[in-house]
């Protein structure tokens, strides 16, 4: 099976997820009969929605980036990899929902916890997909060599797992953890880039 | 005519269908003037919408998967195949509507029956598309050899056809049938994979 | 300039246009406090929206099909062709608006006329794009040979031009003309296919 | 790293941005119980929304066009370029929001200023992306040679910077500047086309 269409389909879904989240960002229209006015204070009301949009945009960007690197180190796609990929896309597709809920409730406790839960499930789905590819590649797997001990891939779900209950103590701890993990990933995954570069050289 | 653009367009439409269904998953915003609160019970209200989203996500995933395999076994695209493909995309494009309706009405009888009707029409459209490709390939058709007796492709529309009237007896029978057929397809279509692998070997 | 990205971008826009139109197809959710019920009569209310969706789906399909054929007969893309293509996409992007308006007003006079006006502008934009490609190809243009006298491309805008004022006499005459032109195009554009096949042979 | 997937993802996001803006263009549905009527005066109410849609459509078209040219002159994509590209897409993804706000408030002062602020940020993001590619290409950069002194790329952000405060004097001055800059860019970027053509010749 070719990986091109899987990549194209995933790119399409990720492009739509990252873009439709912005549909939640809307100033309520003026009521019928009132003059059409608007002020910066209307924007202030939207700030929590904007912040959660920014965070989710970065997260989808990170997933797209890592997905790109992972499949660059993948040659063959099996039925199992295909479904593991759809499973990942499923959890990512819930980002617009959790982003909107957290934003609209001005970062209330439950939505912030649920936001972390979906992050956790996406991280687990990513891990499963990675395992499926490595299993298909067998010993001497290019991807396995590339990710090495994969400490980022282990810290992330652990952080989300901690953040979900901590949200009920303080939403700011949970949000702080989400932001921290995002920053950790913003550094592009040089491990795979390096492994690939090394292979191309040899 | 090249098949690439047909595949790219279909991927685009399927990616959008699978993603916009999530737009229906929204907690109603707090009324103006009330404090911004949110609880897990808000999520419970959404459960039917969520369940129907999961089922439809899996169905679109199955269609994408099978579409991918089918066109992998297709070399040439004619005008007839192109329109048969658009006909399939039309019925798939109604999934967001039936999914939202079934979810918002907490799986009421009529929406569950209509959900099955659209599944049935999509299955028939898929069958027509398959026939159009096989007719174009003529005797010794790779796709015809790949699908063999195609029992899955025959059980599915039969199940939907049974489910639509059965929904008026009990929605759970109908939903059970939809879930069962989905599980049946979750096993990737090894027939085509095998036929292709066999051909590449010889 | 390569034509691949222009094709990919156009495919993306057309795939989104054809799919978001379905978002208008929604049963109003039950009022808060009332039981979750649904009946087939809810669907009957949606019939005009559904009909206009079907017609617009077919029209976007026709445009995608013809766009596909036209660029198959195009080798080089200039800046002028690129903007002529965006101009076409602009008018096509208004289809979801006119479709929703015509559907929601149960095919009232003005929306049906405006629907035809946008069809007319899209047809003119298509003609301009075709001219831009032929001008770039110069004498011995493959596309010019392929479209020949292009009677379909001339009847269509003439029909829309007639339909807009006729909508104020009877919406059914206008709608009849839209349907008739769509049927005329449903036959795929064999002229270009033949010209291309002929060229590949020689 | 390959540039194909970056181009495909960007095309997807831009295609969605340019299309979902049209979702804001909707005639309010008739109230329940009232007859389904519609008139041209309903459209007049929508004119500001339509105008801002047209302007934003042209802007996204310009960005797509320039993005296309820029990556045509780019061979390798690094992690930095990838994130600079996502940063650009982020600001472009806010166009649907600012377009809708400006349109719905009938081009009120604050939304028109915010519209310009987002244009400014997108222009800066484009500049950063351009710098990142040139830095990666090093001396003898094809892109650096292609853009030359880049006066368009310098006038644009300067105009937006002027337009934001001027919007509080008169919205028409600000809007006039946005339109002027758009017209300036509508002429396709022949510099890069020429540089590429020159290189292909030699």
């Amino acid at each position: 099976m070719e990986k091109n269409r899987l990549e194209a389909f995933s790119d399409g879904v990720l492009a739509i997820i990252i873009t439709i989240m912005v549909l939640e960002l809307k100033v309520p229209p003026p009521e019928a009969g009132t003059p059409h006015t608007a002020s910066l204070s209307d924007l202030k009301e939207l700030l929590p929605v904007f912040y959660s949009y920014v965070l989710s945009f970065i997260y989808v960007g990170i997933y797209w980036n890592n997905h790109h690197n992972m499949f660059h180190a993948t040659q063959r796609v099996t039925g199992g990899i295909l479904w593991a990929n759809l499973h990942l896309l499923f959890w990512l597709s819930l980002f617009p929902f959790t982003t909107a809920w957290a934003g609209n409730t001005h970062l209330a406790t439950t939505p912030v916890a649920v936001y972390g839960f979906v992050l956790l499930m996406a991280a687990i789905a990513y891990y499963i997909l990675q395992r499926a590819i490595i299993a298909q590649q067998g010993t001497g797997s290019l991807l396995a060599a590339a990710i090495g001990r994969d400490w980022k891939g282990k810290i992330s779900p652990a952080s989300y797992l901690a953040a979900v209950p901590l949200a009920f103590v303080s939403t700011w701890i949970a949000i702080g953890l989400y932001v921290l993990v995002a920053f950790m990933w913003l550094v592009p995954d040089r491990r795979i880039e390096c492994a690939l570069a090394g292979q191309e050289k040899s």
Side-chain angles (χ1 to χ4, degrees), chain A residues 11-197:
Chain A
D11 281 353
V13 171
L14 289 172
I16 299 157
I17 290 172
I18 216 171
T19 321
I20 60 172
M21 290 189 302
V22 90
L23 290 177
E24 207 52 45
L25 205 67
K26 52 173 65 173
V27 173
E31 283 175 53
T34 62
H36 294 281
T37 56
S39 67
L40 278 173
S41 68
D42 292 336
L43 276 193
K44 225 199 289 179
E45 267 293 295
L46 279 182
L47 273 185
V49 184
F50 181 71
Y51 290 147
S52 58
Y53 174 59
V54 172
L55 186 62
S56 296
F57 190 97
I58 291 171
Y59 263 114
V60 177
I62 290 166
Y63 269 104
W64 177 72
N65 194 350
N66 290 343
H67 192 273
H68 181 286
N69 282 326
M70 183 160 63
F71 275 91
H72 199 54
T74 303
Q75 298 86 24
R76 283 192 59 243
V77 171
T78 61
I81 291 173
L82 204 144
W83 281 107
N85 187 57
L86 276 169
H87 179 235
L88 171 62
L89 293 180
F90 173 76
W91 289 107
L92 295 178
S93 81
L94 295 181
F95 278 29
F97 164 68
T98 54
T99 304
W101 199 27
N104 285 330
T105 60
H106 287 209
L107 309 175
T109 305
T110 310
V112 167
V114 170
Y115 187 97
F117 175 74
V118 169
L119 279 180
L120 175 62
M121 296 309 290
I124 292 173
Y126 189 85
Y127 182 79
I128 292 172
L129 174 56
Q130 195 169 265
R131 283 291 117 194
I133 294 173
I134 290 172
Q136 189 272 320
Q137 296 186 333
T139 48
S141 156
L142 177 59
L143 184 59
I147 59 168
R149 285 189 307 173
D150 193 23
W151 60 270
K152 275 190 195 178
K154 280 166 188 155
I155 287 176
S156 306
S159 304
Y160 306 141
L161 196 59
V164 172
L166 283 171
F168 293 95
V169 179
S170 156
T171 50
W172 295 110
I173 299 177
I175 293 168
L177 278 168
Y178 304 155
V179 171
L180 226 76
V181 173
F183 269 107
M184 184 182 80
W185 280 104
L186 272 182
V187 184
D189 208 329
R190 294 198 177 280
R191 297 166 304 169
I192 296 180
E193 286 181 50
C194 292
L196 283 168

